[in-house]
Amino acid sequence: MEILLGFLIGVAIGATGVGGGTLTAPALIVLMGYSPRLAVTTALVYSAAVKLWASGVYLFRRQVDLRVLGYLLAAGVPGTLLGAVVLQRLRSPKTDQWILCIIGAVVLTSASFKLLKPGHEGSAQKSKLHLLPFFAFPISMEIGFSSAGAGALGTLVLFHLTSLAPSVVVGTDLVFGTVVSAVGGTVHAYSGQCNWLALSGMIPAGIVGTLIGTRAGLVIPATILRKAVLLCAMAVAISLICKGVIGGF
């Protein structure tokens, strides 16, 4: 089942650019019954591995702004480390219910941003690079805590604070998300909270899925696919929030 899940999420990533953090952890919790902590770690490692090859493609095409990436990572790496450590430190009996609610809320928020602002509205007339770390830190902290948020929120920040072309925004945000996912996943995996057996099947299936997804995106309009994925993510997010709230009482 994890292999099929990894493949389907890979298709979503390849066809729409959405799915790494938005779908993986919620799907593992709802469909596979993973604990929130195990789902977050597995999702981070999966997302980093599957997006790694795509990051290489964007770097090869020179569609990554290394200066902007530096600003993002300067605050993003510490933020991810802090988010991962906070998750590891939370050990109260009802922590898992709170984590479910937080993951659901972040996924719902990021999916809503993408659904309401699906287009590239145009870049800012003047770059405000000095503001990037102030946004990158909380976004990365949330990634380290819940594995979700890099794609939708990171892209939105780059479009509003830089004058980068859309393709460079996507490439820069993709590399940023890959790095912080790898950092967060490493911290969590070091504590033993990772299903390596599942990942051994999910990652190859996800890479194959992304290759198929990129071709599917040439046949089916990307906007339709993106809306379908985001609506599914929102439904799963609402399910997580309800599960967390009910479990907290």
Short mmCIF file of all heavy atoms in Angstrom, two decimals, residues 144-215:
data_model
loop_
_atom_site.label_atom_id
_atom_site.label_comp_id
_atom_site.label_asym_id
_atom_site.label_seq_id
_atom_site.Cartn_x
_atom_site.Cartn_y
_atom_site.Cartn_z
N GLY A 144 9.79 21.50 9.65
CA GLY A 144 10.45 20.59 10.58
C GLY A 144 9.49 19.95 11.56
O GLY A 144 9.71 18.84 12.02
N PHE A 145 8.39 20.66 11.85
CA PHE A 145 7.41 20.17 12.82
C PHE A 145 6.36 19.27 12.17
O PHE A 145 5.98 18.25 12.73
CB PHE A 145 6.72 21.34 13.50
CG PHE A 145 5.84 20.95 14.65
CD1 PHE A 145 6.36 20.81 15.93
CD2 PHE A 145 4.48 20.71 14.46
CE1 PHE A 145 5.55 20.44 17.00
CE2 PHE A 145 3.66 20.34 15.52
CZ PHE A 145 4.19 20.21 16.79
N SER A 146 5.88 19.66 10.97
CA SER A 146 4.76 18.93 10.38
C SER A 146 5.02 18.38 8.99
O SER A 146 4.19 17.65 8.46
CB SER A 146 3.54 19.85 10.31
OG SER A 146 3.72 20.84 9.31
N SER A 147 6.14 18.76 8.37
CA SER A 147 6.55 18.34 7.02
C SER A 147 5.82 19.09 5.92
O SER A 147 6.12 18.91 4.74
CB SER A 147 6.38 16.82 6.79
OG SER A 147 5.04 16.48 6.46
N ALA A 148 4.86 19.94 6.26
CA ALA A 148 4.06 20.64 5.25
C ALA A 148 4.36 22.13 5.24
O ALA A 148 4.77 22.70 6.25
CB ALA A 148 2.57 20.42 5.52
N GLY A 149 4.14 22.75 4.09
CA GLY A 149 4.22 24.20 4.03
C GLY A 149 5.19 24.79 3.04
O GLY A 149 5.05 25.93 2.62
N ALA A 150 6.21 24.01 2.63
CA ALA A 150 7.27 24.59 1.79
C ALA A 150 6.76 25.04 0.43
O ALA A 150 7.03 26.15 -0.01
CB ALA A 150 8.40 23.58 1.61
N GLY A 151 6.00 24.16 -0.25
CA GLY A 151 5.59 24.46 -1.62
C GLY A 151 4.70 25.68 -1.75
O GLY A 151 5.06 26.65 -2.42
N ALA A 152 3.55 25.65 -1.10
CA ALA A 152 2.59 26.74 -1.26
C ALA A 152 3.07 28.03 -0.64
O ALA A 152 3.06 29.09 -1.27
CB ALA A 152 1.24 26.32 -0.66
N LEU A 153 3.48 27.98 0.61
CA LEU A 153 3.86 29.20 1.33
C LEU A 153 5.16 29.77 0.80
O LEU A 153 5.30 31.00 0.65
CB LEU A 153 3.96 28.91 2.83
CG LEU A 153 2.67 28.41 3.49
CD1 LEU A 153 2.90 28.13 4.97
CD2 LEU A 153 1.54 29.41 3.31
N GLY A 154 6.13 28.92 0.50
CA GLY A 154 7.41 29.39 -0.01
C GLY A 154 7.26 30.07 -1.36
O GLY A 154 7.84 31.14 -1.61
N THR A 155 6.48 29.47 -2.24
CA THR A 155 6.24 30.07 -3.55
C THR A 155 5.56 31.42 -3.43
O THR A 155 5.92 32.38 -4.12
CB THR A 155 5.39 29.13 -4.42
OG1 THR A 155 6.06 27.88 -4.57
CG2 THR A 155 5.14 29.72 -5.79
N LEU A 156 4.58 31.49 -2.56
CA LEU A 156 3.84 32.75 -2.35
C LEU A 156 4.78 33.86 -1.89
O LEU A 156 4.72 34.99 -2.39
CB LEU A 156 2.73 32.53 -1.32
CG LEU A 156 1.74 33.67 -1.15
CD1 LEU A 156 0.90 33.84 -2.40
CD2 LEU A 156 0.84 33.41 0.06
N VAL A 157 5.67 33.55 -0.95
CA VAL A 157 6.62 34.55 -0.44
C VAL A 157 7.56 35.02 -1.55
O VAL A 157 7.82 36.22 -1.70
CB VAL A 157 7.42 33.96 0.74
CG1 VAL A 157 8.62 34.85 1.07
CG2 VAL A 157 6.53 33.81 1.96
N LEU A 158 8.06 34.09 -2.35
CA LEU A 158 9.00 34.46 -3.41
C LEU A 158 8.35 35.34 -4.47
O LEU A 158 8.97 36.27 -4.99
CB LEU A 158 9.58 33.20 -4.06
CG LEU A 158 10.58 32.41 -3.21
CD1 LEU A 158 11.05 31.17 -3.95
CD2 LEU A 158 11.77 33.28 -2.83
N PHE A 159 7.10 35.08 -4.80
CA PHE A 159 6.42 35.90 -5.78
C PHE A 159 6.18 37.32 -5.27
O PHE A 159 6.17 38.27 -6.05
CB PHE A 159 5.08 35.27 -6.18
CG PHE A 159 5.20 34.31 -7.33
CD1 PHE A 159 4.86 32.98 -7.17
CD2 PHE A 159 5.66 34.73 -8.57
CE1 PHE A 159 4.97 32.09 -8.22
CE2 PHE A 159 5.79 33.85 -9.63
CZ PHE A 159 5.43 32.52 -9.45
N HIS A 160 5.99 37.46 -3.97
CA HIS A 160 5.69 38.78 -3.42
C HIS A 160 6.94 39.58 -3.04
O HIS A 160 6.88 40.81 -2.98
CB HIS A 160 4.77 38.64 -2.19
CG HIS A 160 3.34 38.44 -2.56
ND1 HIS A 160 2.86 37.23 -2.97
CD2 HIS A 160 2.28 39.30 -2.58
CE1 HIS A 160 1.56 37.34 -3.22
NE2 HIS A 160 1.20 38.58 -3.01
N LEU A 161 8.04 38.90 -2.76
CA LEU A 161 9.22 39.61 -2.27
C LEU A 161 10.39 39.64 -3.25
O LEU A 161 11.41 40.27 -2.95
CB LEU A 161 9.69 38.98 -0.95
CG LEU A 161 8.73 39.07 0.23
CD1 LEU A 161 9.37 38.44 1.47
CD2 LEU A 161 8.33 40.51 0.51
N THR A 162 10.28 38.97 -4.39
CA THR A 162 11.36 38.99 -5.37
C THR A 162 10.81 39.33 -6.74
O THR A 162 9.59 39.35 -6.96
CB THR A 162 12.08 37.63 -5.45
OG1 THR A 162 11.24 36.69 -6.13
CG2 THR A 162 12.41 37.09 -4.07
N SER A 163 11.72 39.59 -7.66
CA SER A 163 11.35 39.87 -9.06
C SER A 163 11.75 38.72 -9.97
O SER A 163 12.01 38.90 -11.15
CB SER A 163 12.02 41.17 -9.52
OG SER A 163 13.42 41.09 -9.35
N LEU A 164 11.80 37.52 -9.41
CA LEU A 164 12.21 36.35 -10.17
C LEU A 164 11.14 35.93 -11.17
O LEU A 164 9.94 36.11 -10.93
CB LEU A 164 12.51 35.18 -9.24
CG LEU A 164 13.61 35.37 -8.19
CD1 LEU A 164 13.72 34.13 -7.33
CD2 LEU A 164 14.94 35.69 -8.87
N ALA A 165 11.58 35.33 -12.27
CA ALA A 165 10.65 34.76 -13.24
C ALA A 165 9.96 33.55 -12.61
O ALA A 165 10.52 32.90 -11.72
CB ALA A 165 11.41 34.33 -14.49
N PRO A 166 8.74 33.23 -13.05
CA PRO A 166 8.00 32.11 -12.45
C PRO A 166 8.78 30.79 -12.41
O PRO A 166 8.76 30.09 -11.40
CB PRO A 166 6.77 32.00 -13.36
CG PRO A 166 6.56 33.38 -13.86
CD PRO A 166 7.94 33.96 -14.04
N SER A 167 9.48 30.47 -13.50
CA SER A 167 10.24 29.20 -13.53
C SER A 167 11.36 29.20 -12.50
O SER A 167 11.66 28.17 -11.88
CB SER A 167 10.81 28.96 -14.93
OG SER A 167 11.70 30.00 -15.29
N VAL A 168 11.98 30.36 -12.27
CA VAL A 168 13.05 30.47 -11.29
C VAL A 168 12.48 30.41 -9.87
O VAL A 168 13.11 29.87 -8.95
CB VAL A 168 13.87 31.76 -11.50
CG1 VAL A 168 15.00 31.86 -10.48
CG2 VAL A 168 14.44 31.79 -12.90
N VAL A 169 11.29 30.96 -9.68
CA VAL A 169 10.61 30.87 -8.38
C VAL A 169 10.37 29.41 -8.03
O VAL A 169 10.67 28.95 -6.92
CB VAL A 169 9.28 31.65 -8.39
CG1 VAL A 169 8.44 31.27 -7.18
CG2 VAL A 169 9.54 33.14 -8.39
N VAL A 170 9.84 28.66 -8.99
CA VAL A 170 9.56 27.24 -8.76
C VAL A 170 10.85 26.48 -8.47
O VAL A 170 10.92 25.68 -7.52
CB VAL A 170 8.84 26.63 -9.99
CG1 VAL A 170 8.69 25.11 -9.80
CG2 VAL A 170 7.48 27.26 -10.17
N GLY A 171 11.89 26.72 -9.26
CA GLY A 171 13.15 26.01 -9.07
C GLY A 171 13.81 26.35 -7.75
O GLY A 171 14.29 25.45 -7.03
N THR A 172 13.83 27.63 -7.39
CA THR A 172 14.45 28.06 -6.13
C THR A 172 13.70 27.49 -4.94
O THR A 172 14.30 27.00 -3.97
CB THR A 172 14.48 29.60 -6.05
OG1 THR A 172 15.16 30.11 -7.20
CG2 THR A 172 15.19 30.06 -4.79
N ASP A 173 12.37 27.56 -4.99
CA ASP A 173 11.57 27.03 -3.89
C ASP A 173 11.70 25.51 -3.79
O ASP A 173 11.70 24.95 -2.69
CB ASP A 173 10.11 27.42 -4.07
CG ASP A 173 9.25 27.03 -2.89
OD1 ASP A 173 9.54 27.46 -1.76
OD2 ASP A 173 8.28 26.26 -3.09
N LEU A 174 11.83 24.84 -4.92
CA LEU A 174 11.99 23.39 -4.92
C LEU A 174 13.29 22.98 -4.23
O LEU A 174 13.30 22.07 -3.40
CB LEU A 174 11.96 22.86 -6.36
CG LEU A 174 12.09 21.35 -6.53
CD1 LEU A 174 10.91 20.63 -5.89
CD2 LEU A 174 12.16 21.00 -8.01
N VAL A 175 14.38 23.65 -4.57
CA VAL A 175 15.66 23.34 -3.94
C VAL A 175 15.61 23.67 -2.45
O VAL A 175 16.11 22.90 -1.61
CB VAL A 175 16.81 24.11 -4.62
CG1 VAL A 175 18.13 23.86 -3.89
CG2 VAL A 175 16.94 23.70 -6.08
N PHE A 176 15.01 24.79 -2.11
CA PHE A 176 14.84 25.17 -0.70
C PHE A 176 14.07 24.10 0.06
O PHE A 176 14.49 23.65 1.14
CB PHE A 176 14.10 26.51 -0.63
CG PHE A 176 13.63 26.89 0.75
CD1 PHE A 176 14.52 27.14 1.78
CD2 PHE A 176 12.27 26.98 1.01
CE1 PHE A 176 14.08 27.48 3.05
CE2 PHE A 176 11.82 27.33 2.28
CZ PHE A 176 12.72 27.58 3.29
N GLY A 177 12.95 23.65 -0.51
CA GLY A 177 12.15 22.62 0.14
C GLY A 177 12.88 21.31 0.27
O GLY A 177 12.74 20.59 1.27
N THR A 178 13.69 20.97 -0.74
CA THR A 178 14.47 19.74 -0.70
C THR A 178 15.48 19.75 0.44
O THR A 178 15.61 18.78 1.20
CB THR A 178 15.20 19.52 -2.03
OG1 THR A 178 14.25 19.47 -3.10
CG2 THR A 178 15.99 18.22 -2.01
N VAL A 179 16.19 20.88 0.58
CA VAL A 179 17.22 20.98 1.61
C VAL A 179 16.61 20.94 3.01
O VAL A 179 17.08 20.18 3.88
CB VAL A 179 18.04 22.28 1.43
CG1 VAL A 179 19.01 22.46 2.61
CG2 VAL A 179 18.82 22.24 0.12
N VAL A 180 15.58 21.73 3.25
CA VAL A 180 15.01 21.77 4.61
C VAL A 180 14.31 20.45 4.95
O VAL A 180 14.31 20.03 6.11
CB VAL A 180 14.06 22.97 4.79
CG1 VAL A 180 14.83 24.28 4.71
CG2 VAL A 180 12.92 22.95 3.79
N SER A 181 13.72 19.79 3.95
CA SER A 181 13.12 18.48 4.20
C SER A 181 14.19 17.47 4.59
O SER A 181 13.99 16.65 5.49
CB SER A 181 12.37 17.99 2.96
OG SER A 181 11.26 18.79 2.67
N ALA A 182 15.33 17.54 3.91
CA ALA A 182 16.43 16.63 4.24
C ALA A 182 16.96 16.89 5.65
O ALA A 182 17.25 15.95 6.41
CB ALA A 182 17.56 16.78 3.22
N VAL A 183 17.07 18.17 6.02
CA VAL A 183 17.56 18.52 7.36
C VAL A 183 16.58 18.03 8.43
O VAL A 183 16.96 17.37 9.40
CB VAL A 183 17.76 20.04 7.49
CG1 VAL A 183 18.04 20.44 8.94
CG2 VAL A 183 18.90 20.50 6.59
N GLY A 184 15.30 18.35 8.24
CA GLY A 184 14.30 17.91 9.22
C GLY A 184 14.17 16.41 9.29
O GLY A 184 14.07 15.83 10.38
N GLY A 185 14.20 15.75 8.13
CA GLY A 185 14.10 14.30 8.11
C GLY A 185 15.28 13.64 8.81
O GLY A 185 15.11 12.62 9.49
N THR A 186 16.48 14.21 8.65
CA THR A 186 17.67 13.65 9.31
C THR A 186 17.55 13.73 10.82
O THR A 186 17.88 12.77 11.54
CB THR A 186 18.93 14.41 8.84
OG1 THR A 186 19.07 14.27 7.42
CG2 THR A 186 20.17 13.85 9.53
N VAL A 187 17.08 14.86 11.33
CA VAL A 187 16.92 15.03 12.78
C VAL A 187 15.93 14.01 13.33
O VAL A 187 16.20 13.33 14.34
CB VAL A 187 16.45 16.46 13.12
CG1 VAL A 187 16.14 16.58 14.61
CG2 VAL A 187 17.51 17.48 12.72
N HIS A 188 14.79 13.89 12.67
CA HIS A 188 13.78 12.94 13.15
C HIS A 188 14.24 11.50 13.01
O HIS A 188 14.03 10.67 13.89
CB HIS A 188 12.47 13.14 12.38
CG HIS A 188 11.75 14.41 12.70
ND1 HIS A 188 11.41 14.76 13.99
CD2 HIS A 188 11.30 15.40 11.91
CE1 HIS A 188 10.78 15.92 13.97
NE2 HIS A 188 10.70 16.33 12.72
N ALA A 189 14.88 11.19 11.87
CA ALA A 189 15.33 9.82 11.64
C ALA A 189 16.38 9.40 12.66
O ALA A 189 16.45 8.22 13.04
CB ALA A 189 15.88 9.69 10.22
N TYR A 190 17.20 10.34 13.09
CA TYR A 190 18.23 10.05 14.08
C TYR A 190 17.62 9.56 15.39
O TYR A 190 18.23 8.76 16.12
CB TYR A 190 19.07 11.28 14.33
CG TYR A 190 20.22 11.07 15.31
CD1 TYR A 190 21.37 10.40 14.89
CD2 TYR A 190 20.15 11.52 16.62
CE1 TYR A 190 22.43 10.20 15.78
CE2 TYR A 190 21.20 11.32 17.51
CZ TYR A 190 22.32 10.66 17.08
OH TYR A 190 23.36 10.46 17.96
N SER A 191 16.40 10.00 15.68
CA SER A 191 15.73 9.59 16.91
C SER A 191 15.04 8.23 16.74
O SER A 191 14.46 7.71 17.70
CB SER A 191 14.69 10.63 17.33
OG SER A 191 13.62 10.67 16.41
N GLY A 192 15.07 7.68 15.54
CA GLY A 192 14.47 6.37 15.30
C GLY A 192 13.05 6.41 14.79
O GLY A 192 12.45 5.37 14.54
N GLN A 193 12.49 7.62 14.61
CA GLN A 193 11.11 7.76 14.16
C GLN A 193 11.02 7.79 12.64
O GLN A 193 10.78 8.81 12.02
CB GLN A 193 10.52 9.05 14.74
CG GLN A 193 10.34 9.04 16.24
CD GLN A 193 9.15 8.19 16.68
OE1 GLN A 193 8.20 8.01 15.94
NE2 GLN A 193 9.21 7.67 17.88
N CYS A 194 11.26 6.65 12.00
CA CYS A 194 11.18 6.60 10.54
C CYS A 194 10.93 5.16 10.10
O CYS A 194 11.53 4.22 10.63
CB CYS A 194 12.47 7.12 9.91
SG CYS A 194 12.37 7.34 8.13
N ASN A 195 10.05 5.00 9.11
CA ASN A 195 9.75 3.67 8.58
C ASN A 195 10.60 3.46 7.32
O ASN A 195 10.17 3.74 6.20
CB ASN A 195 8.26 3.54 8.24
CG ASN A 195 7.87 2.11 7.93
OD1 ASN A 195 8.68 1.31 7.49
ND2 ASN A 195 6.61 1.78 8.18
N TRP A 196 11.82 2.97 7.52
CA TRP A 196 12.75 2.79 6.40
C TRP A 196 12.29 1.70 5.45
O TRP A 196 12.54 1.78 4.24
CB TRP A 196 14.14 2.48 6.93
CG TRP A 196 14.75 3.59 7.70
CD1 TRP A 196 14.93 3.67 9.05
CD2 TRP A 196 15.24 4.83 7.17
NE1 TRP A 196 15.50 4.88 9.40
CE2 TRP A 196 15.71 5.60 8.26
CE3 TRP A 196 15.34 5.35 5.88
CZ2 TRP A 196 16.26 6.86 8.10
CZ3 TRP A 196 15.89 6.62 5.70
CH2 TRP A 196 16.35 7.35 6.81
N LEU A 197 11.61 0.69 5.97
CA LEU A 197 11.11 -0.38 5.11
C LEU A 197 10.10 0.16 4.12
O LEU A 197 10.14 -0.16 2.92
CB LEU A 197 10.49 -1.49 5.96
CG LEU A 197 9.93 -2.69 5.19
CD1 LEU A 197 11.05 -3.37 4.41
CD2 LEU A 197 9.26 -3.68 6.15
N ALA A 198 9.19 1.01 4.60
CA ALA A 198 8.19 1.61 3.71
C ALA A 198 8.86 2.53 2.70
O ALA A 198 8.50 2.55 1.52
CB ALA A 198 7.16 2.38 4.53
N LEU A 199 9.85 3.29 3.15
CA LEU A 199 10.53 4.23 2.26
C LEU A 199 11.28 3.51 1.15
O LEU A 199 11.42 4.06 0.05
CB LEU A 199 11.51 5.10 3.06
CG LEU A 199 10.89 6.23 3.87
CD1 LEU A 199 11.94 6.87 4.78
CD2 LEU A 199 10.29 7.29 2.95
N SER A 200 11.77 2.30 1.42
CA SER A 200 12.51 1.56 0.40
C SER A 200 11.64 1.26 -0.82
O SER A 200 12.15 1.05 -1.92
CB SER A 200 13.05 0.25 0.98
OG SER A 200 11.99 -0.64 1.32
N GLY A 201 10.32 1.23 -0.61
CA GLY A 201 9.40 1.04 -1.73
C GLY A 201 8.79 2.35 -2.20
O GLY A 201 8.56 2.55 -3.39
N MET A 202 8.54 3.27 -1.25
CA MET A 202 7.89 4.53 -1.60
C MET A 202 8.75 5.42 -2.48
O MET A 202 8.27 6.04 -3.43
CB MET A 202 7.52 5.30 -0.32
CG MET A 202 6.35 4.76 0.44
SD MET A 202 6.00 5.74 1.93
CE MET A 202 5.51 7.32 1.17
N ILE A 203 10.05 5.50 -2.17
CA ILE A 203 10.93 6.43 -2.90
C ILE A 203 11.09 6.03 -4.37
O ILE A 203 10.88 6.87 -5.26
CB ILE A 203 12.29 6.55 -2.19
CG1 ILE A 203 12.10 7.29 -0.86
CG2 ILE A 203 13.28 7.31 -3.07
CD1 ILE A 203 13.35 7.34 -0.01
N PRO A 204 11.45 4.76 -4.68
CA PRO A 204 11.53 4.40 -6.11
C PRO A 204 10.19 4.58 -6.83
O PRO A 204 10.16 5.06 -7.97
CB PRO A 204 11.95 2.92 -6.07
CG PRO A 204 12.61 2.75 -4.76
CD PRO A 204 11.87 3.65 -3.81
N ALA A 205 9.10 4.22 -6.15
CA ALA A 205 7.78 4.38 -6.76
C ALA A 205 7.46 5.85 -6.99
O ALA A 205 6.87 6.23 -8.00
CB ALA A 205 6.70 3.75 -5.88
N GLY A 206 7.88 6.69 -6.04
CA GLY A 206 7.64 8.13 -6.17
C GLY A 206 8.42 8.73 -7.32
O GLY A 206 7.90 9.60 -8.04
N ILE A 207 9.66 8.29 -7.52
CA ILE A 207 10.47 8.81 -8.63
C ILE A 207 9.85 8.41 -9.97
O ILE A 207 9.74 9.23 -10.89
CB ILE A 207 11.91 8.29 -8.52
CG1 ILE A 207 12.59 8.89 -7.27
CG2 ILE A 207 12.71 8.62 -9.78
CD1 ILE A 207 13.96 8.33 -6.99
N VAL A 208 9.40 7.15 -10.06
CA VAL A 208 8.72 6.71 -11.29
C VAL A 208 7.43 7.53 -11.48
O VAL A 208 7.11 7.94 -12.60
CB VAL A 208 8.39 5.21 -11.22
CG1 VAL A 208 7.52 4.79 -12.40
CG2 VAL A 208 9.67 4.38 -11.19
N GLY A 209 6.73 7.77 -10.38
CA GLY A 209 5.50 8.55 -10.45
C GLY A 209 5.71 9.96 -10.95
O GLY A 209 4.92 10.49 -11.74
N THR A 210 6.79 10.59 -10.51
CA THR A 210 7.06 11.95 -10.96
C THR A 210 7.35 11.99 -12.46
O THR A 210 6.93 12.92 -13.16
CB THR A 210 8.25 12.57 -10.20
OG1 THR A 210 9.40 11.73 -10.33
CG2 THR A 210 7.93 12.74 -8.73
N LEU A 211 8.05 10.98 -12.96
CA LEU A 211 8.34 10.92 -14.39
C LEU A 211 7.06 10.78 -15.19
O LEU A 211 6.87 11.43 -16.23
CB LEU A 211 9.28 9.74 -14.68
CG LEU A 211 10.68 9.83 -14.07
CD1 LEU A 211 11.44 8.52 -14.31
CD2 LEU A 211 11.45 11.00 -14.68
N ILE A 212 6.15 9.92 -14.71
CA ILE A 212 4.87 9.75 -15.39
C ILE A 212 4.02 11.01 -15.25
O ILE A 212 3.33 11.44 -16.17
CB ILE A 212 4.12 8.53 -14.83
CG1 ILE A 212 4.89 7.25 -15.16
CG2 ILE A 212 2.69 8.45 -15.37
CD1 ILE A 212 4.32 5.99 -14.57
N GLY A 213 4.09 11.62 -14.05
CA GLY A 213 3.30 12.82 -13.81
C GLY A 213 3.68 13.97 -14.71
O GLY A 213 2.81 14.74 -15.16
N THR A 214 4.98 14.11 -14.98
CA THR A 214 5.40 15.20 -15.87
C THR A 214 4.83 15.02 -17.28
O THR A 214 4.48 16.00 -17.95
CB THR A 214 6.94 15.26 -15.97
OG1 THR A 214 7.45 13.97 -16.35
CG2 THR A 214 7.53 15.66 -14.63
N ARG A 215 4.68 13.78 -17.70
CA ARG A 215 4.09 13.52 -19.02
C ARG A 215 2.57 13.68 -18.98
O ARG A 215 1.97 14.15 -19.95
CB ARG A 215 4.46 12.12 -19.50
CG ARG A 215 5.95 11.96 -19.77
CD ARG A 215 6.26 10.66 -20.47
NE ARG A 215 7.67 10.59 -20.85
CZ ARG A 215 8.18 11.11 -21.95
NH1 ARG A 215 7.41 11.78 -22.78
NH2 ARG A 215 9.47 10.99 -22.22
#
